[in-house]
């Protein structure tokens, strides 16, 4: 039980004023603008949007500024902000197959219709600190080339495999209502749609660690990256008063199609199975980790033994949210004086009983 | 029954209206300000004050399967009526209320066939800029197109 404490108002006010000054840092150093954070810390902004579960780059950048760059604190601010807004409704499902790709790679096929494009990636960089970035300077403009005729259409790699029946189909859209964990508490077992929602907003570090555990043998799934694509997709919404899909604008998404080892049955010949990841912005590590954990969480559905943490949906879903996790861990630092007083009294009594018992044993022995 | 101004009957030409809405969503606020001021629009009253809210973005499992919720997007909407009775609506990503209101005015003006060519001309500049930005992005991406080769190793 937590018993509230009172007092400390002046100290708390002053601590927050000190925080504001600490946030600003050395006033001789120019202050960061929200636009600078949005443009130059773009992947951090993408992470805050993904885990904050709200696509709004300016808001995520502002949250990062307010949080002094602390991701979980920024996620907290974004989540708190969203609770102040009404929800107009749900979007038309986004069509990632029609994405204007900035990046598209496959580890399963080297020749793909539409081609593979590396886009802006850290892959194949040498990971040597670039001291030239410490000085301000112009950068060379990016190279340009005329897109080839086939570049406009990029079918999903999974669609190519599905044509020959080599991979399981995606679960069909049966028109059933889709669960939303921001509206209803999760009931276990949770269906795949709900699990994907939880993983999409889950902490990148936690989901990454679980994904890694499956590769190391704790729920092995034999994965290949069928495809990763990053780019802009249109979001549409059907307002009640208009009755047709209104284009809201474009959002950047990262999609990962993981292709995993086979499953077959008496009725169906062996087929590759799938794991799926989708995240806001350019969030490749997150989308890959999500796809691996999505596949691991399908263990029961695919008749595999559920023996590892990444296959245990209650373990994964109940612990993947950074805000819930930090709330419960960090509440420990708040005053627990009354609780602790009770524990202190208990341990003193137990110690007194212990000495009394020891004394009587010694007396009996003498 | 009095027609409800909040429920215009869907008619033909929805795709063209959607295209103009998409163009306004992609455009910047200054571009929409320039377009509206070039059109000497009648006075607009708010049917609904511009308002920021959320739309839950939905994806599909595997990209093509059952829907699931990816996360919300911030959306600002506006609904106006021009002094001559035409109504216009806008829903845009982000939190820019003046921009959504400008787009709603343009939506109302565009629905009048007599005004349509002038509205499209006023937005042509923004359309060209958006097109050029998309083409440049595509050219930069195309320069990173990669051809991987597999190399056999060892004997046979």
């Amino acid at each position: 039980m937590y018993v509230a404490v009172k007092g400390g108002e002046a100290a708390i006010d002053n601590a927050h004023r000190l925080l504001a000054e600490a946030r600003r840092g050395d006033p001789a150093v120019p202050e960061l603008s929200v636009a600078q954070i949005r443009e130059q810390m773009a992947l951090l902004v993408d992470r805050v949007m993904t885990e904050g579960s709200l696509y709004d780059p300016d808001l995520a950048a502002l949250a990062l500024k307010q949080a002094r760059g602390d991701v979980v604190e920024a996620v907290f601010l974004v989540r708190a902000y969203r609770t102040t807004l009404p929800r107009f409704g749900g979007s038309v499902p986004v069509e990632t197959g029609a994405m204007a790709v900035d990046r598209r790679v496959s580890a399963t096929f080297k020749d793909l219709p539409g081609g593979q494009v590396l886009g802006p990636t850290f892959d194949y960089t040498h990971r040597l600190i670039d001291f030239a970035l410490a000085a301000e300077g112009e950068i060379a403009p990016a190279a340009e080339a005329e897109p080839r005729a086939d570049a406009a259409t990029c079918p999903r790699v999974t669609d190519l495999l599905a044509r020959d029946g080599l991979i399981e189909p995606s679960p069909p859209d049966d028109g059933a209502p889709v669960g939303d964990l921001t509206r209803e508490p999760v009931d276990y077992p949770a269906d795949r749609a709900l699990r994907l929602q939880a993983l999409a907003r889950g902490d990148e570090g936690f989901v990454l660690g679980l994904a890694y555990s499956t590769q190391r043998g704790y729920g092995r799934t034999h994965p290949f990256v069928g495809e990763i694509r990053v780019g802009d997709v249109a979001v549409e919404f059907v307002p009640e008063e208009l009755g047709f899909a209104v284009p809201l604008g474009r959002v950047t998404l990262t999609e990962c199609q993981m292709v995993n080892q086979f499953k077959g049955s008496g009725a169906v010949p062996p087929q590759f199975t799938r794991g799926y990841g989708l995240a806001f912005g350019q969030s490749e590590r997150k989308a890959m980790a999500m796809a691996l954990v999505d596949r691991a969480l399908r263990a029961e559905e695919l008749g595999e033994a559920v023996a590892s943490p990444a296959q245990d949906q209650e373990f994964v879903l109940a612990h993947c949210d950074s805000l819930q996790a930090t709330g419960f861990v960090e509440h420990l630092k708040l005053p627990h004086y009354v609780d602790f007083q009770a524990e202190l009294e208990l341990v003193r009594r137990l110690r007194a009983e212990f000495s009394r018992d020891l004394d009587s044993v010694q007396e009996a022995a003498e | 029954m009095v027609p409800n101004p909040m429920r215009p009957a869907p008619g033909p030409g929805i795709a063209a209206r959607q295209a103009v809405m998409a163009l306004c969503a992609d455009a910047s606020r200054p571009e929409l300000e320039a377009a509206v001021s070039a059109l000497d629009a009648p006075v607009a009253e708010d049917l609904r004050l511009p308002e920021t809210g959320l739309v839950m973005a939905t994806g599909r499992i595997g990209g093509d399967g059952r829907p699931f919720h990816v996360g919300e997007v911030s959306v600002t909407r506006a609904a106006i009526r021009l002094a001559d009775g035409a109504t216009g609506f806008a829903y845009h990503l982000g939190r820019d209320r003046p921009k959504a209101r400008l787009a709603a005015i343009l939506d109302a003006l565009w629905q009048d066939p007599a005004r349509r060519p002038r509205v499209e001309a006023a937005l042509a500049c923004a359309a060209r800029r958006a097109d050029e930005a998309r083409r440049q992005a595509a050219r930069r991406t195309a320069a990173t197109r990669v051809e991987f080769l597999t190399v056999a190793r060892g004997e046979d």
Side-chain angles (χ1 to χ4, degrees):
Chain A
M1 185 186 63
Y2 182 76
V3 181
V5 290
K6 291 179 84 171
E9 286 87 349
I12 290 169
D13 279 350
N14 288 341
H16 292 167
R17 283 170 61 180
L18 185 58
L19 168 67
E21 207 174 286
R23 173 188 299 125
R24 176 63 183 84
D26 182 352
V29 176
E31 186 178 348
L32 274 174
S33 71
V34 170
Q36 283 173 327
I37 297 169
R38 185 194 65 220
E39 296 300 313
Q40 297 174 41
M41 292 286 132
L43 301 189
L44 186 56
V45 167
D46 289 346
R47 180 165 176 183
V48 170
M49 292 198 300
T50 297
E51 295 176 27
S53 206
L54 178 61
Y55 192 97
D56 187 323
D58 287 294
L59 190 80
L62 178 58
L64 277 163
K65 180 173 179 173
Q66 186 178 338
R68 305 178 69 192
D70 183 315
V71 174
V72 178
E73 186 69 24
V75 166
F76 199 158
L77 293 169
V78 168
R79 295 261 189 103
Y81 176 77
R82 72 160 280 284
T83 65
T84 67
L85 297 179
R87 190 188 280 180
F88 299 152
S91 82
V92 177
V94 293
E95 180 44 80
T96 54
M99 179 185 280
V101 297
D102 295 329
R103 171 164 168 75
R104 179 195 190 215
V105 292
S106 171
T108 52
F109 296 108
K110 63 186 174 64
D111 299 311
L112 290 176
Q116 296 197 46
V117 287
L118 296 178
T121 181
F122 296 123
D123 293 355
Y124 313 109
T125 63
H126 292 110
R127 268 71 180 214
L128 300 172
I129 291 275
D130 181 0
F131 289 97
L133 287 174
E136 287 169 29
E138 295 290 306
I139 51 147
E144 295 188 16
E146 222 28 65
R148 283 192 227 158
D150 66 345
T153 29
C154 297
R156 296 184 196 91
V157 166
T158 41
D159 295 348
L160 304 176
L161 282 167
R163 241 181 257 160
D164 302 324
L166 292 170
I167 195 164
E168 60 170 352
S170 297
D173 182 357
D174 54 7
V178 181
D180 181 353
L181 59 82
T182 68
R183 294 294 171 95
E184 308 253 329
V186 177
D187 261 342
Y188 297 101
D191 71 6
R192 192 167 168 204
L194 214 49
R195 301 197 303 255
L196 284 170
Q197 184 184 11
L199 290 173
R201 58 200 263 131
D203 181 71
E204 180 172 309
F206 184 82
V207 179
L208 176 68
L210 284 170
Y212 180 43
S213 75
T214 68
Q215 291 182 283
R216 292 196 63 257
Y218 293 87
R220 208 178 276 286
T221 61
H222 307 278
F224 292 93
V225 168
E227 183 179 358
I228 292 169
R229 57 171 67 195
V230 184
D232 287 358
V233 298
V235 187
E236 295 181 329
F237 170 63
V238 182
E240 215 181 308
E241 71 271 23
L242 289 176
F244 64 85
V246 170
L248 303 177
R250 305 175 72 78
V251 297
T252 306
L253 295 177
T254 301
E255 180 185 61
C256 175
Q257 302 272 5
M258 206 63 86
V259 175
N260 305 76
Q261 224 173 47
F262 333 114
K263 162 81 185 159
S265 67
V268 182
Q271 292 178 303
F272 286 110
T273 58
R274 299 167 176 239
Y276 187 68
L278 189 65
F280 287 151
Q282 184 170 357
S283 302
E284 218 161 290
R285 185 185 303 116
K286 174 61 183 284
M288 292 178 73
M290 177 177 169
L292 286 170
V293 177
D294 170 46
R295 175 58 186 79
L297 287 174
R298 296 180 59 210
E300 199 172 333
E301 172 200 344
L302 294 169
E304 297 160 354
V306 177
S308 299
Q311 298 168 316
D312 179 338
Q313 58 162 280
E314 200 160 344
F315 179 84
V316 174
L317 266 53
H319 300 118
C320 69
D321 189 89
S322 63
L323 192 54
Q324 286 173 5
T326 211
F328 205 44
V329 168
E330 289 203 61
H331 102 283
L332 290 173
K333 69 192 170 186
L334 300 177
H336 281 70
Y337 308 132
V338 176
D339 274 353
F340 190 68
Q341 203 60 42
E343 299 268 314
L344 212 52
E345 271 168 32
L346 179 62
V347 77
R348 283 195 175 120
R349 201 171 65 238
L350 291 171
R351 288 170 63 87
E353 281 167 14
F354 180 86
S355 330
R356 248 198 330 275
D357 291 350
L358 200 65
D359 288 349
S360 54
V361 168
Q362 278 168 350
E363 273 167 32
E366 278 162 16
Chain B
M1 207 176 111
V2 183
N4 182 351
M6 299 293 280
R7 283 178 187 279
I14 293 292
R17 189 172 169 196
Q18 286 168 321
V20 175
M21 287 175 151
L23 175 56
C24 288
D26 276 353
S28 67
R29 196 208 293 182
E31 284 172 333
L32 298 189
E33 275 165 355
V36 169
S37 65
L39 287 167
D40 56 353
V43 177
E45 63 162 322
D46 289 313
L47 284 176
R48 180 166 58 204
L49 284 176
E51 177 189 22
T52 298
L54 303 166
V55 166
M56 178 53 95
T58 309
R60 289 188 181 280
I61 299 172
D64 59 352
R66 227 190 134 213
F68 73 98
H69 298 310
V70 192
E72 286 159 318
V73 295
S74 61
V75 171
T76 299
R77 66 180 176 188
I80 59 95
R81 180 174 21 223
L82 298 178
D84 60 12
T87 57
F89 299 85
Y91 282 78
H92 283 182
L93 292 181
R95 286 167 288 122
D96 193 338
R97 279 171 243 206
K99 187 191 162 206
R101 195 170 188 279
L102 290 163
I105 293 170
L106 289 165
D107 179 52
L109 293 170
W110 183 89
Q111 288 176 76
D112 174 359
R115 286 173 170 143
R116 193 165 298 171
R118 289 193 58 212
V119 175
E120 288 176 357
L123 284 168
C125 194
R128 267 197 307 278
R129 197 229 4 107
D131 264 3
E132 182 41 42
R134 262 194 290 276
R135 267 202 301 276
Q136 189 183 38
R139 283 198 301 273
R140 289 177 171 195
T141 301
T144 69
R145 181 151 171 168
V146 62
E147 305 293 342
F148 286 114
L149 304 168
T150 47
V151 182
R153 286 186 301 185
E155 316 289 310
D156 294 319

